[in-house]
Amino acid sequence: ARIRQIVSVLCAIIEISLSSRGCILQNALSNQCQTMMQQLLIRLVDWLYIAPFKRLVSRDIFAYGLCGGANMALDTLWYFVIYHYIVAERFIDLGVVVVSPHIASLIVVFPITFFTGFWLNRNVAFRATEYKTRGQLIRYALSVLGSIVLNYLCMKLFVEHLYIWPTPSKMLTTAVSVVYSFLAAKYFTFRPRS
């Protein structure tokens, strides 16, 4: 029954994107399409937020984790497509510098997942619409920049000073970064008005 409901939600997403209104095809995320997608995703989060999760984490943390996981999956999918089919595993000569295919793909994917992450956090995880989008977007960019700096500093600390192997260091860094990102989103980027 749950699988049927998930399939039905996915079919509804596809139908919305290909409907006669042409939300995605005619006007990338028009207001009407955004509202429909937001309501659909919020219902999906609420539907998945079942008893075992309710005992372990708050709805905010659950929704944030779900949105983050979905954005990470989209990031991986986009990276794969761009690396293999757009950049086509070729080095890109910009005249001044030659960019490797994996870095070129990363550069192309970053803005996509940056904006999908912002949209998911703003409209699904935290649903803070009291502030103007521009102000929240600037705050989100600052928190992402902070996350990048934190990742760099943690990796330097764990690998070069504490002599922890790189892979476990990356796992620790990811845990620190996730906690930082959640707190920055909840109390800085998408905080409700006092």
Side-chain angles (χ1 to χ4, degrees):
R2 275 208 188 273
I3 292 176
R4 276 193 207 136
Q5 289 177 331
I6 290 172
V7 169
S8 118
V9 166
L10 292 174
C11 288
I13 290 170
I14 292 167
E15 185 178 319
I16 288 169
S17 66
L18 299 175
S19 70
S20 60
R21 295 180 192 145
C23 294
I24 291 175
L25 298 175
Q26 290 177 3
N27 184 7
L29 292 177
S30 67
N31 287 338
Q32 185 177 16
C33 184
Q34 275 191 48
T35 303
M36 289 170 52
M37 188 64 74
Q38 178 185 14
Q39 291 170 352
L40 185 66
L41 292 173
I42 288 169
R43 280 189 287 184
L44 179 64
V45 168
D46 290 340
W47 179 75
L48 292 171
Y49 188 53
I50 56 177
F53 298 117
K54 287 180 180 179
R55 281 181 253 139
L56 296 173
V57 296
S58 70
R59 188 200 176 282
D60 281 352
I61 293 173
F62 181 79
Y64 179 78
L66 209 57
C67 288
N71 199 41
M72 186 175 69
L74 284 171
D75 179 66
T76 304
L77 178 66
W78 277 114
Y79 185 87
F80 177 84
V81 168
I82 290 168
Y83 179 80
H84 290 288
Y85 300 105
I86 310 246
V87 174
E89 302 175 27
R90 294 182 310 245
F91 285 82
I92 298 174
D93 188 356
L94 298 176
V96 179
V97 67
V98 176
V99 181
S100 61
H102 58 281
I103 298 300
S105 301
L106 184 66
I107 291 168
V108 173
V109 167
F110 180 78
I112 298 168
T113 54
F114 173 84
F115 286 109
T116 56
F118 175 74
W119 189 88
L120 285 168
N121 279 308
R122 183 176 198 275
N123 294 297
V124 180
F126 296 103
R127 293 184 272 173
T129 56
E130 299 169 6
Y131 292 105
K132 292 185 179 183
T133 303
R134 181 179 175 190
Q136 285 182 331
L137 187 60
I138 292 168
R139 288 174 180 228
Y140 184 73
L142 289 172
S143 71
V144 168
L145 181 62
S147 184
I148 291 168
V149 170
L150 184 64
N151 271 273
Y152 175 79
L153 294 175
C154 284
M155 286 300 287
K156 292 292 265 183
L157 172 70
F158 295 147
V159 175
E160 296 177 16
H161 298 287
L162 299 178
Y163 304 107
I164 301 172
W165 290 347
T167 302
S169 292
K170 179 58 179 144
M171 293 166 68
L172 286 169
T173 297
T174 299
V176 170
S177 182
V178 165
V179 171
Y180 160 80
S181 296
F182 174 76
L183 294 173
K186 184 171 175 94
Y187 297 109
F188 176 67
T189 306
F190 303 108
R191 75 171 188 262
R193 287 189 185 212
S194 305

